[in-house]
């Protein structure tokens, strides 16, 4: 997994409540058993004029001038709700996003971000509104900074916020760690657990 | 007052009072990890062809195996067609590859597969309880957000991503941040025509689609105790629409009676030992939760959604709310109404519908079909309304046919399908039409969820049936004997 330390980049405001994973990557855009080939389908229902088409909708934030190369997404409450599909995060990552800032996230989406090198940043709605307002005045000239090392989010106008994140999620993102490798180091503890548990709950062990 | 965490830390000689969730958690911690997370043992893993296929494929590509294949199950439900005579080909473009690749990967991994033509095929969250795969006190994961459904059996069951599924498959564990705990007590007696689905929509309507964010939610109270198992599954199913990590209900005699003799349920001495253990799972009287909600249910009415989030829910007798009463932001409110083609103050009852759908992991079990059929018996779907019923599993379908329910649905004008997730969502194959208004027993009314620009109103199966007959959103109580 790609490591994440600090990033200063264009941010795209999509500050709507309940942006669901069907909206991030519609089912019809998940065309193969694959983690790739998804960037084109990102936000397809909003980004293109016709369902299934590819003509850009000029109103949608990612198609507006100044937002080319956006790497940070500003979202609304309950971001990533709905289906557990990790394709939503794979699509965001393939498009180029490395951080999503929202007041709250669906728990599954949050976990999927951490496992794919995207930093999920929880900030109060008020802070996000201020950041979005600053960005919208001149997106290209107002890159935001997500600093996972210093645990800060900032804007060129001096706004600065603490970045809250669990210790393990931060570690995994900073080091680009694979959870399976980490866990396999605990193999002995896992085997001990199973030996003990099998005696206590034999019906679990089919 | 002590917080739940302080109460747990306790430090006294007597064990701190524990909730159902606390007990399951304690039993499954392999090792505490730094920063409040834990390595948690996983008892059952379920996969399906849409998100499980990629997990199996990716795991194999990394040269890793499945640690406990006998405790891993896979079904074909999301992409498989539900039209009669179905096979591996699908209306969804490219669907065949999901099915054949899942089959190959499942066989190679040596896991249980409920294939397209298997007698036990069905929607994962319908067949898992039906086959006794999910058990009280167990940890169950699946790369599917509605895995929380299975918590109704007294399990800790939650949805994960595909990468986490790989982790669970390879190690038999997951690295989990311990969720906070919430108890939601529904007290009182449900009125006529009011169901578990209405409880869920009322809760989310009142406390918001993010109201349960970060919590494992235990549903309790007299109204929950009175619910049969299938209704409890419906209630827990919607926990994810509340943004909860999981929904749980303490197992009781109803749970044990339901499970006994099912295909993968314990037998003989194991059954007796399991029962002993399960009887101790219910939370202690003094257990402390991080948050508690109480809802009095006596006055509840059948619920219908009016917008594009499950929190946009109201009694069927109500009108589309004002912005102030909607509990949402102006932007979200206006966007939802524009999408749904509705205005503030418009009564919900009487809105003309184009289609009616009964199915999904929320409401496709035999009791759901029986209640809908009771409304449809001797009646007909209104002219011009497309009506579809999709049983949640082949077993539900066979049972319904043995009871003659299929004939009731068909005579009324409903299509009668093979089991699967079907038109709960649009995957590029079958869908409802642009700006068509659909009343649906499913769980999500998101924009374009059931078809491009399709307008979904969530409701219980009997409200769907009553509305199909009326050709407009209807109060099922007016059709009840």
């Amino acid at each position: 997994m790609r490591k994440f330390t600090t990033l200063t980049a264009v941010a795209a405001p999509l500050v709507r409540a309940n942006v669901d994973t069907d909206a991030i990557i519609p089912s019809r855009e998940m065309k193969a058993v694959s983690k790739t080939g998804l960037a084109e389908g990102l936000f397809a229902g909003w980004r293109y004029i016709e369902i299934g088409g590819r003509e850009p909708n000029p109103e949608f934030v990612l198609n507006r001038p100044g937002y080319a190369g956006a790497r940070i997404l500003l979202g609304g409450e309950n971001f990533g709700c709905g289906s557990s599909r990790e394709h939503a995060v794979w699509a965001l990552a393939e498009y180029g996003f490395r951080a999503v800032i929202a007041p709250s996230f669906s728990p599954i989406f949050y976990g999927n971000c951490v496992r794919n090198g995207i930093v999920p940043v929880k900030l109060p709605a008020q802070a996000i509104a201020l950041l979005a307002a600053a960005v919208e005045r001149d997106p290209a000239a107002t890159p935001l900074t997500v600093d996972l090392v210093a645990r800060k989010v900032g804007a060129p106008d001096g706004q600065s916020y603490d970045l809250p994140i669990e210790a393990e999620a931060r570690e995994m993102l900073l080091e680009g760690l694979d959870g399976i490798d980490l866990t396999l180091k605990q193999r002995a503890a896992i085997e001990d657990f199973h030996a003990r548990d099998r005696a206590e709950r034999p019906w679990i062990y089919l | 007052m002590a917080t739940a965490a302080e109460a747990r830390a306790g430090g006294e000689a007597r064990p701190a009072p524990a909730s159902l969730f606390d007990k399951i958690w304690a039993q499954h911690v392999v090792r505490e990890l730094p920063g409040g997370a834990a390595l948690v043992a996983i008892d059952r893993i379920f996969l399906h062809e849409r998100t499980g296929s990629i997990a199996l494929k990716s795991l194999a590509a990394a040269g890793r195996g499945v640690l406990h294949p006998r405790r891993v199950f896979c079904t074909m439900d999301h992409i498989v067609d539900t039209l009669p005579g179905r096979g591996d080909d699908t209306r969804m473009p490219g669907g065949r590859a999901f099915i054949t690749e899942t089959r190959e990967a499942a066989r190679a991994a040596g896991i249980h597969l409920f294939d397209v033509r298997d007698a036990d095929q069905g929607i994962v969250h319908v067949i898992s309880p039906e086959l006794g795969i999910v058990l009280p006190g167990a940890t169950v994961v699946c790369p599917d957000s509605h895995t929380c459904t299975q918590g109704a059996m007294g399990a800790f069951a939650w949805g994960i991503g595909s990468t986490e599924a790989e982790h669970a498959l390879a190690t038999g564990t997951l690295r989990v941040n311990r969720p906070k705990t919430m108890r939601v007590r529904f007290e009182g007696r449900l009125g006529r025509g009011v169901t578990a689905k209405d409880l869920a929509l009322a809760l989310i309507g009142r406390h918001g689609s993010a109201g349960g964010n970060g919590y494992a939610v235990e549903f309790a109270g007299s109204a929950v105790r009175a619910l049969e198992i299938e209704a409890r599954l419906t209630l827990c199913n919607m926990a994810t629409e509340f943004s909860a990590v999981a929904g749980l209900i303490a197992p009781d005699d109803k749970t044990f009676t339901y499970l006994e003799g099912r295909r993968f349920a314990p037998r003989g001495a194991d059954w007796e030992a399991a029962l002993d253990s399960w009887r101790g799972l219910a939370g202690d009287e003094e257990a402390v939760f991080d948050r508690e909600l109480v809802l009095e249910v006596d006055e509840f009415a059948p619920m219908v959604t009016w917008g594009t989030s499950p929190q946009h829910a109201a009694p069927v007798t109500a009108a589309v709310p004002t912005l102030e009463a909607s509990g949402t932001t102006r932007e979200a409110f206006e966007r939802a109404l524009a999408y749904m083609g509705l205005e503030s103050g418009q009564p919900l009852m009487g809105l003309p519908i184009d289609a009616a759908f009964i199915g999904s992991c929320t409401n496709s079990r035999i009791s759901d079909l029986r209640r809908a059929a009771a409304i449809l018996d001797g009646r007909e779907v209104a002219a011009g309304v497309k009506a579809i019923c999709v049983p949640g599993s082949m077993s539900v379908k066979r049972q319904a046919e043995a009871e003659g329910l299929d004939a009731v649905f068909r005579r009324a004008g409903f299509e009668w399908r093979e089991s699967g997730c079907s038109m709960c969502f649009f995957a590029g194959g079958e869908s409802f039409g642009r700006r068509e208004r659909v009343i649906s027993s499913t769980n999500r009314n998101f924009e374009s969820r059931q078809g491009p620009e399709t307008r979904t109103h969530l409701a219980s199966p009997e409200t769907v049936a009553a509305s199909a007959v009326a050709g407009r959103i209807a109060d099922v109580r007016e059709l009840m004997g």
Side-chain angles (χ1 to χ4, degrees):
Chain A
M1 191 175 87
R2 248 168 109 188
K3 293 181 184 185
F4 188 107
T5 48
T6 181
L7 168 75
T8 298
V10 172
L14 185 65
V15 189
R16 293 177 188 168
N18 300 312
V19 170
D20 61 84
T21 53
D22 279 77
I24 299 173
I25 184 87
S27 292
R28 62 181 182 278
E29 297 287 348
M30 294 156 53
K31 294 171 182 160
V33 183
S34 173
K35 298 180 179 183
T36 58
L38 296 161
E40 253 202 45
L42 180 70
F43 295 120
W46 295 337
R47 193 168 144 205
Y48 306 116
I49 288 186
E50 284 292 322
I51 295 271
R54 287 292 182 257
E55 190 189 335
N57 170 5
E59 303 284 307
F60 186 64
V61 61
L62 298 183
N63 297 327
R64 296 215 301 262
Y67 292 106
R71 296 286 170 266
I72 298 169
L73 193 62
L74 291 166
E77 196 174 358
N78 205 22
F79 196 91
C81 63
S83 159
S84 68
R85 64 187 69 164
E86 197 159 323
H87 305 70
V89 170
W90 295 330
L92 285 165
E94 190 177 304
Y95 183 90
F97 284 108
R98 300 296 319 275
V100 182
I101 304 176
S104 61
F105 293 89
S106 130
I108 305 173
F109 179 85
Y110 187 91
N112 286 340
C113 283
V114 171
R115 282 162 189 83
N116 288 281
I118 292 185
V119 183
V121 183
K122 285 183 205 164
L123 288 188
Q126 182 106 33
I128 292 172
L130 291 170
L131 287 171
V135 165
E136 277 163 355
R137 280 192 286 275
D138 188 350
T142 318
L144 302 185
T145 296
V146 174
D147 186 341
L148 190 60
V149 181
R151 287 184 232 200
K152 291 280 180 195
V153 174
D157 62 6
Q159 289 187 64
S160 175
Y161 307 97
D162 290 334
L163 187 171
I165 190 161
E166 300 76 11
E168 173 157 297
R170 178 170 176 268
E171 174 93 358
M172 288 182 77
L173 286 160
L174 282 173
E175 304 297 331
L177 296 175
D178 175 325
I180 298 181
D181 285 341
L182 274 185
T183 298
L184 288 177
K185 290 182 189 158
Q186 312 274 351
R187 194 171 287 165
I190 296 171
E191 284 169 7
D192 285 353
F193 175 91
H194 283 137
R196 198 171 63 242
D197 190 50
R198 188 186 279 272
E200 281 176 26
R201 300 186 309 148
W203 59 88
I204 291 296
Y205 294 79
L206 298 173
Chain B
M1 204 181 120
T3 66
E6 283 163 2
R8 279 191 295 269
E12 301 149 30
R14 253 179 353 143
S19 66
L20 166 65
F21 177 81
D22 295 332
K23 292 179 187 183
I24 300 176
W25 180 268
Q27 187 144 43
H28 288 83
V29 170
V30 173
R31 169 160 286 193
E32 302 284 349
L33 299 171
L39 193 62
V40 171
I42 303 302
D43 297 331
R44 300 281 183 268
I45 303 171
F46 234 116
L47 305 171
H48 60 63
E49 83 276 32
R50 186 158 81 182
T51 59
S53 48
I54 186 71
L56 285 172
K57 190 171 160 179
S58 174
L59 190 73
R64 289 170 171 144
V66 176
L67 187 62
H68 300 124
R70 294 178 57 81
R71 293 198 266 139
V72 181
F73 302 81
C74 182
T75 188
M76 306 283 194
D77 58 0
H78 273 63
I79 286 169
V80 67
D81 270 1
T82 53
L83 288 161
R86 66 177 175 190
D88 291 356
D89 285 320
T90 65
R91 299 295 188 282
M92 176 198 152
R96 183 188 179 89
F98 282 85
I99 291 173
T100 56
E101 289 185 37
T102 299
R103 180 179 298 136
E104 282 163 27
R107 283 184 184 156
I111 63 176
H112 301 271
L113 174 66
F114 306 108
D115 210 333
V116 177
R117 292 199 166 85
D118 196 295
D120 284 329
Q121 180 272 348
I123 304 174
V124 40
H125 313 305
V126 175
I127 66 174
S128 178
E130 200 173 83
L131 296 172
I133 292 170
V134 54
L135 297 173
T139 49
V140 182
V141 295
C142 173
D144 187 281
S145 59
H146 289 107
T147 307
C148 54
T149 309
Q150 302 188 37
M153 307 304 294
F156 175 29
W158 73 104
I160 56 176
S162 297
T163 303
E164 278 202 286
E166 282 184 55
H167 187 292
L169 290 165
T171 71
T173 66
L174 278 178
R175 309 172 77 88
V176 188
N177 284 308
R178 184 185 176 119
K180 293 177 287 182
T181 56
M182 182 190 296
R183 177 163 59 187
V184 177
R185 282 168 39 213
F186 290 100
E187 299 291 357
R189 285 182 62 159
L190 294 181
R192 235 162 40 107
V194 182
T195 68
K197 177 67 157 285
D198 305 301
L199 293 182
L201 288 174
L203 169 69
I204 300 163
R206 203 168 291 186
H207 294 281
S209 57
N213 195 285
Y215 292 95
V217 176
E218 180 173 339
F219 296 108
S222 53
V224 172
R225 298 259 62 84
L227 292 177
E228 297 303 321
I229 295 300
E230 295 189 354
R232 293 179 186 181
L233 289 160
T234 298
L235 177 58
C236 287
N237 173 269
M238 300 289 284
T240 188
E241 313 313 333
F242 192 44
S243 198
V245 175
L248 299 89
I249 294 175
D252 57 13
D253 285 337
K254 284 184 191 172
T255 322
F256 310 143
T257 305
Y258 175 94
L259 281 172
E260 190 167 10
R262 297 206 179 245
R263 181 171 162 195
F264 291 93
R267 294 177 187 281
D270 268 358
W271 173 258
E272 296 303 325
L275 264 187
D276 266 356
S277 160
W278 296 344
R279 288 193 197 283
L281 280 170
D284 301 325
E285 202 64 28
E286 315 77 28
V288 182
F289 294 82
D290 294 295
R291 192 159 181 223
E292 292 236 36
L293 300 175
V294 181
L295 289 88
E296 304 287 343
V297 306
D298 297 73
E299 302 304 317
F300 279 13
M303 302 288 288
V304 175
T305 60
W306 49 265
T308 53
S309 159
Q311 77 177 356
H312 300 152
V316 66
T317 47
V320 177
T322 58
L323 166 63
E324 295 67 36
S326 72
T328 186
T329 61
R330 175 180 293 278
E331 195 271 343
F333 181 70
E334 286 173 357
R335 195 181 163 85
L337 289 195
Y339 181 88
M340 295 299 289
L342 295 174
E343 286 174 15
S344 233
Q346 231 175 318
L348 288 165
M349 251 167 76
L351 278 177
I353 56 166
D354 302 294
F357 181 83
I358 294 177
S360 87
C361 56
T362 316
N363 278 126
S364 64
R365 298 178 182 82
I366 190 68
S367 56
D368 296 315
L369 304 194
R370 284 176 188 147
R371 296 197 317 278
I375 299 299
L376 294 173
D377 199 9
R379 296 192 171 104
E380 276 181 29
V381 171
V385 173
K386 177 177 180 160
I388 299 172
C389 177
V390 186
S393 71
M394 292 313 284
S395 160
V396 168
K397 182 172 186 253
R398 285 191 300 273
Q399 179 64 29
E401 289 172 353
E403 296 176 18
L405 303 184
D406 60 320
V408 174
F409 276 98
R410 284 197 169 110
R411 271 200 303 270
F414 267 76
E415 287 181 39
W416 181 251
R417 296 284 188 100
E418 306 292 314
S419 74
C421 302
S422 192
M423 288 161 81
C424 175
F425 54 85
F426 167 56
E430 278 191 283
S431 79
F432 295 105
R434 216 165 273 260
R435 301 205 180 91
E436 278 187 3
R437 195 173 296 287
V438 183
I439 188 144
S440 180
S441 78
T442 54
N443 40 61
R444 289 183 177 140
N445 50 349
F446 300 160
E447 286 182 26
S448 299
R449 166 86 177 177
Q450 288 190 294
E453 295 178 48
T454 297
R455 294 162 169 168
T456 300
H457 294 268
L458 304 176
S460 70
E462 45 268 73
T463 293
V464 173
S467 304
V469 168
R472 39 196 76 234
I473 293 181
D475 186 340
V476 63
R477 295 171 296 189
E478 292 176 3
L479 296 190
M480 292 173 89

